[in-house]
Amino acid sequence: MRKEKFTDYLLEKNILTKEDLEKTLTAQKEKNVSLLELLIKLGYMTEMKALSLLSGYLEMPPLRISDLKITKEVLSLVPQAVAQNFQVLPIGKIGTTLTVAMGDPLNVVVIDDLKKITGCEINPVIALLSEIKEATYSRYAQGTSESLEEIIKDKTAESLEMIKEETIVEVSQEQILRSADEAPIIKYTDYLLKRAVAELASDILIEPLEKASRVRFRLDGILKEIETFPKKSHPYLVSRIKVMCNLNITEFRLPQEGRFRMSISNRDIDFRVSILPTSLGEKAALRVLDKSSTVLNLDPLGFESDVLTKLKEDSLKPHGLILTCGPTGSGKTTTLYSIINYVYAPQKNIVTVEDPIEYQLRGINQVSINPAIELTFARVLRSILRQDPNIIMIGEIRDADTADIAIKSALTGHLVLSTLHTTTSAGSVTRLLNMGIEPFLLSSTLLGVVTQRLVRKLCPKCKEQMSLAENVRVKYSIDPKATLYKTKGCSYCLNTGYKGRTVLCEYLRVSSALKVLIDSSASEPEIKKQARLEGMHTLREDGFMKVYKGITTIEEVLRVSAPDEVLLPEEKNQKADNKK
């Protein structure tokens, strides 16, 4: 091994400058992670580059874990939870020396901890972190069945043996039908559903890996691995979910979709299910819809007061088009439902067209489309217009035909609400123009476009004040007087530092000047610039407003929003005047 420090080696190889190194070392102390892991995370190097650098520095070749044969006795020396937490894998033992594959063999803290846990001298070797992580799933697959046994607590030895089996064999239709209704599988399925609801997960992913299967929850928008289980029981678990949805239990080659409802902790929970065949088996994705935890009200969603006022005013207009935009899972549908809830009155005829219906709204006529029988958005909309509606909600504008009917409906005296998959509010205008909508029709009907993203909120019980380097403040134009906060982690937020989510929003309200631009088929940058000059704050600007209020972190805002074009000083002054 070289005598020089690894940090000197990084400078010697021109991986980073002295200034970058000092900043990284400071960040390392704050975040309490390994230097190598932080360098990869900050983008100074890729995982492969890190492997190559370590190999050169330590003067040892890297290992390919997939080529190794590891005995159960060696694996048992390091518990799976420890291996996954430390991102290490025991691969061999000679005498009292245990050889351990590590992504960062320079992490002496981990090596010391492994010495205490195993009672062995540790011989670290280099391997790819991604290969180590995959191996901690597949190589420990046999041991993970213990957690499954604890959950189901079934006394029938036969059933537990079935779960413990590691080899994958073909199963008959009769076996699947019988096993899907057996107590162990039912108990384990119920356990996963109850845990997802208790932890406020929005999605459950049940995924087959090469030699095991894993369960992940989406918590506050971020996927988190919950546990792994033997792959032998994977088809039975998926089959159980199919049974609950009344899907074809013997169809493994085609995607399937369904839904079911359960009462959990005295709450009615809807589960929307998608089954997707993959090369390693069927993947199940369950969307968790807890109606009791979703407040369909505009006020608590997180919109700034000026946006909320404009949105409420526009939603009470007798006709026109209001769009919500953003990627899947950004809260678009919740915003539309909240608008409908705000404008609802017994005197109004409100009809929705959705795919599928996510929430049953009292007093609202809701239609679910079904492409299999040619019940499409466009076809339903033509019929709805003969139902004398006041307000129409369209789940999504997917094609030119639907867009044309939506625009004409807004033109003929209806208030139309819908969603569109675009990244910015100005981009929605150009998207509709590209769909073939006449500019004069769009400018006459479009009232406003809400573009939104969801970010995690700081945990109110453990957030801490932080200082920010001057160059970072300058780079992102952050107010030097603002008080900023960072995550810490506590039992209340499950040590994530975040609790709950809020919305970032930009609301493009169509003014006379914007109508002129739309009529002339202006480009997206031109429309966005004019909207900003008239007072619209972008997603990035709205995010930093929430950072200044201590609601979220800079990292969250940067994660979901793109940088804005720089305005000239006179343009900034004009925007400030318009906001006033």
Side-chain angles (χ1 to χ4, degrees):
M1 186 185 292
R2 294 172 181 264
K3 293 182 179 180
E4 63 183 319
K5 291 183 178 179
F6 184 59
T7 50
D8 295 332
Y9 186 70
L10 292 174
L11 295 174
E12 177 189 321
K13 293 294 182 180
N14 296 318
I15 301 301
L16 66 173
T17 64
K18 285 186 177 180
E19 184 180 2
D20 290 335
L21 178 59
E22 289 174 4
K23 292 175 186 174
T24 306
L25 290 173
T26 302
Q28 181 195 8
K29 291 177 182 177
E30 292 179 357
K31 295 180 180 292
N32 194 28
V33 295
S34 76
L35 176 62
L36 203 66
E37 184 181 348
L38 189 58
L39 289 171
I40 295 172
K41 188 176 181 180
L42 294 175
Y44 287 111
M45 63 180 74
T46 63
E47 189 181 354
M48 286 301 296
K49 180 67 176 177
L51 190 73
S52 176
L53 277 169
L54 274 175
S55 179
Y57 175 71
L58 298 174
E59 298 177 348
M60 67 170 66
L63 289 178
R64 294 305 303 270
I65 292 176
S66 56
D67 301 331
L68 300 175
K69 291 183 178 179
I70 308 173
T71 65
K72 293 179 182 178
E73 289 73 21
V74 169
L75 284 174
S76 66
L77 294 173
V78 179
Q80 183 182 13
V82 174
Q84 290 178 334
N85 187 42
F86 287 169
Q87 295 182 329
V88 300
L89 185 75
I91 60 175
K93 183 174 181 285
I94 299 176
T96 58
T97 300
L98 179 66
T99 300
V100 179
M102 303 177 65
D104 184 4
L106 302 175
N107 195 329
V108 293
V109 175
V110 169
I111 292 173
D112 287 342
D113 286 343
L114 288 174
K115 282 183 183 178
K116 295 175 184 176
I117 293 169
T118 62
C120 300
E121 290 298 317
I122 304 300
N123 174 36
V125 293
I126 314 167
L128 274 174
L129 272 172
S130 56
E131 286 194 2
I132 291 173
K133 189 172 183 180
E134 175 63 28
T136 57
Y137 301 140
S138 57
R139 301 297 180 107
Y140 281 93
Q142 174 93 19
T144 55
S145 61
E146 292 178 3
S147 64
L148 183 56
E149 290 176 13
E150 289 175 4
I151 295 159
I152 60 177
K153 291 182 179 177
D154 194 281
K155 295 181 180 179
T156 308
E158 250 179 87
S159 298
L160 293 178
E161 279 301 312
M162 179 271 293
I163 293 172
K164 285 181 178 178
E165 284 179 16
E166 193 173 273
T167 56
I168 299 172
V169 296
E170 293 294 325
V171 289
S172 67
Q173 180 177 344
E174 291 75 17
Q175 283 178 301
I176 292 173
L177 288 169
R178 184 176 65 252
S179 298
D181 287 327
E182 285 182 351
I185 293 299
I186 293 175
K187 286 184 178 181
Y188 188 55
T189 306
D190 290 348
Y191 155 75
L192 290 177
L193 300 179
K194 289 175 183 176
R195 181 173 175 182
V197 172
E199 295 186 13
L200 303 180
S202 61
D203 298 88
I204 307 169
L205 300 184
I206 302 170
E207 304 164 304
L209 303 177
E210 189 174 344
K211 294 183 179 179
S213 292
R214 70 178 175 187
V215 179
R216 293 193 290 172
F217 290 171
R218 189 175 294 279
L219 303 170
D220 290 334
I222 305 297
L223 280 175
K224 178 185 177 183
E225 183 176 312
I226 301 303
E227 59 185 72
T228 59
F229 61 92
K231 195 170 181 179
K232 171 62 184 174
S233 54
H234 182 90
Y236 303 122
L237 181 58
V238 174
S239 297
R240 173 62 189 165
I241 293 169
K242 287 182 182 179
V243 168
M244 297 170 78
C245 298
N246 293 318
L247 299 178
N248 185 351
I249 197 172
T250 60
E251 177 57 73
F252 308 106
R253 300 167 298 172
L254 298 174
Q256 297 189 69
E257 293 184 359
R259 64 191 308 161
F260 63 92
R261 179 180 296 179
M262 290 189 73
S263 178
I264 299 176
S265 301
N266 296 320
R267 290 142 63 189
D268 285 339
I269 312 294
D270 283 336
F271 294 91
R272 209 167 73 201
V273 178
S274 172
I275 307 293
L276 181 70
T278 73
S279 60
L280 297 175
E282 290 184 293
K283 173 185 174 182
L286 291 77
R287 171 66 59 88
V288 185
L289 300 171
D290 184 356
K291 297 178 184 178
S292 63
S293 67
T294 303
V295 181
L296 299 179
N297 189 329
L298 284 171
D299 294 307
L301 292 184
F303 295 119
E304 295 296 322
S305 57
D306 59 330
V307 171
L308 194 59
T309 300
K310 292 174 184 176
L311 189 55
K312 286 182 176 180
E313 289 175 354
D314 290 341
S315 63
L316 290 173
K317 291 179 179 178
H319 55 81
L321 174 65
I322 297 176
L323 294 173
T324 61
C325 303
T328 301
S330 59
K332 302 185 299 296
T333 305
T334 300
T335 298
L336 287 184
Y337 278 130
S338 299
I339 292 174
I340 288 178
N341 194 43
Y342 176 72
V343 302
Y344 172 75
Q347 298 82 11
K348 293 181 179 179
N349 181 11
I350 303 175
V351 186
T352 74
V353 193
E354 305 170 63
D355 179 28
I357 297 170
E358 292 195 12
Y359 297 97
Q360 292 287 346
L361 299 176
R362 186 177 179 182
I364 308 297
N365 305 288
Q366 295 175 268
V367 182
S368 180
I369 72 161
N370 187 353
I373 58 173
E374 298 183 0
L375 189 66
T376 61
F377 279 113
R379 187 168 183 177
V380 173
L381 282 172
R382 292 190 186 96
S383 297
I384 284 176
L385 292 175
R386 293 190 283 272
Q387 293 283 322
D388 189 32
N390 300 106
I391 300 171
I392 302 170
M393 189 192 99
I394 306 169
E396 182 185 347
I397 294 178
R398 296 178 178 174
D399 50 52
D401 200 10
T402 306
D404 182 62
I405 298 173
I407 293 292
K408 289 177 179 176
S409 300
L411 197 65
T412 54
H414 306 88
L415 180 65
V416 180
L417 311 171
S418 188
T419 68
L420 198 64
H421 281 290
T422 56
T423 55
T424 64
S425 297
S428 303
V429 176
T430 55
R431 171 77 184 278
L432 289 171
L433 292 176
N434 290 335
M435 281 185 173
I437 303 298
E438 292 291 344
F440 73 92
L441 289 177
L442 185 57
S443 64
S444 302
T445 56
L446 188 62
L447 297 175
V449 183
V450 179
T451 296
Q452 60 186 69
R453 303 287 189 276
L454 293 178
V455 293
R456 293 178 291 174
K457 294 194 295 184
L458 278 162
C459 175
K461 295 185 181 294
C462 68
K463 66 180 182 180
E464 294 181 333
Q465 286 192 24
M466 63 172 287
S467 58
L468 200 62
E470 185 60 29
N471 62 327
V472 178
R473 285 187 181 269
V474 172
K475 181 178 180 180
Y476 297 110
S477 303
I478 296 173
D479 185 355
K481 298 179 181 179
T483 302
L484 306 178
Y485 294 88
K486 65 179 180 179
T487 59
K488 181 184 178 183
C490 64
S491 58
Y492 180 68
C493 62
L494 302 178
N495 292 315
T496 63
Y498 296 99
K499 190 71 174 179
R501 290 191 290 177
T502 190
V503 68
L504 302 190
C505 164
E506 63 179 37
Y507 185 53
L508 186 150
R509 196 182 201 186
V510 180
S511 63
S512 299
L514 284 171
K515 286 183 179 182
V516 173
L517 287 176
I518 295 171
D519 279 333
S520 62
S521 300
S523 66
E524 180 180 341
E526 291 174 310
I527 294 172
K528 181 179 179 180
K529 184 176 182 180
Q530 180 60 37
R532 292 181 71 189
L533 293 178
E534 292 179 4
M536 180 188 84
H537 43 255
T538 64
L539 287 170
R540 177 65 62 88
E541 291 169 338
D542 187 68
F544 280 128
M545 289 169 67
K546 288 179 169 61
V547 169
Y548 299 154
K549 293 178 180 179
I551 296 173
T552 189
T553 61
I554 295 174
E555 291 84 358
E556 280 294 287
V557 174
L558 298 181
R559 178 175 65 86
V560 302
S561 65
D564 300 314
E565 298 79 6
V566 178
L567 294 177
L568 298 174
E570 58 270 22
E571 292 172 336
K572 289 182 180 179
N573 293 332
Q574 181 181 343
K575 178 177 180 178
D577 292 339
N578 285 328
K579 277 189 176 181
K580 293 177 183 177

